[in-house]
Amino acid sequence: VSLGTMPLTALTADDTGLLKEVSLAPESSVVRRWGQQACGRGVSRACWGPGAEETHVGVGLEDGTVRFWRRSASTVAIAEESEDASPPSVDFAAGEEIGKGVAPHGGGPNGIAGLFAHGEAAPRVVAGERTGRVRVWVWPDGSAAHGPQGEPLATIET
């Protein structure tokens, strides 16, 4: 829940892959939407990006992909539910393992069980999978902050 100068909002996600920012006052309504609906790519975790400004929102998907979007680059005031949402501004893909063992309704072995973005000076993104594997990425800065990111800074197998 955001308590900034904007109206009171909350993030909500679903099993089809969408992340939404919802206005809570005075009436409940979708303010922004990110992601793309797809079978087996439901959102298992959502979080704010690093830093106190809440400029990015992110999700961990059932197939192990981690994505973040700029809040300002979203689909605003959705007219039709079928309209495409914005592409991710930062994409930490699971690489070769995307889609392996993913059940039709999510719950695959690489699904994200925990997601956290932290830090001001040297931000990091940490994702824990259901398998027990933990991946850590450096948050990109400047021109590198768009599109797919490289290999994780660290991968820990438990």
Side-chain angles (χ1 to χ4, degrees):
V1 175
S2 174
L3 297 174
T5 58
M6 295 179 65
L8 187 62
T9 62
L11 293 179
T12 183
D14 64 31
D15 61 353
T16 70
L18 294 180
L19 176 65
K20 298 174 185 177
E21 185 173 4
V22 180
S23 170
L24 301 177
E27 294 179 15
S28 188
S29 63
V30 175
V31 177
R32 296 180 178 99
R33 178 187 72 169
W34 303 270
Q36 206 166 19
Q37 291 180 313
C39 184
R41 299 215 36 177
V43 176
S44 56
R45 293 293 180 261
C47 75
W48 294 105
E53 294 81 34
E54 298 179 350
T55 58
H56 286 80
V57 291
V59 295
L61 301 176
E62 292 291 339
D63 69 356
T65 300
V66 175
R67 292 195 164 137
F68 283 83
W69 292 270
R70 284 190 208 295
R71 285 177 72 197
S72 62
S74 70
T75 303
V76 180
I78 300 166
E80 298 178 27
E81 196 62 32
S82 63
E83 115 185 34
D84 286 337
S86 301
S89 59
V90 184
D91 195 0
F92 302 99
E96 63 187 279
E97 297 181 4
I98 284 183
K100 283 190 180 175
V102 175
H105 300 291
N110 297 324
I112 301 299
L115 182 62
F116 182 64
H118 176 70
E120 294 283 338
R124 304 283 190 258
V125 173
V126 180
E129 297 176 357
R130 287 190 186 96
T131 61
R133 180 170 71 167
V134 176
R135 294 176 288 151
V136 180
W137 290 273
V138 174
W139 183 263
D141 60 352
S143 62
H146 292 34
Q149 300 302 305
E151 291 296 312
L153 173 69
T155 299
I156 303 162
E157 304 283 344
T158 57

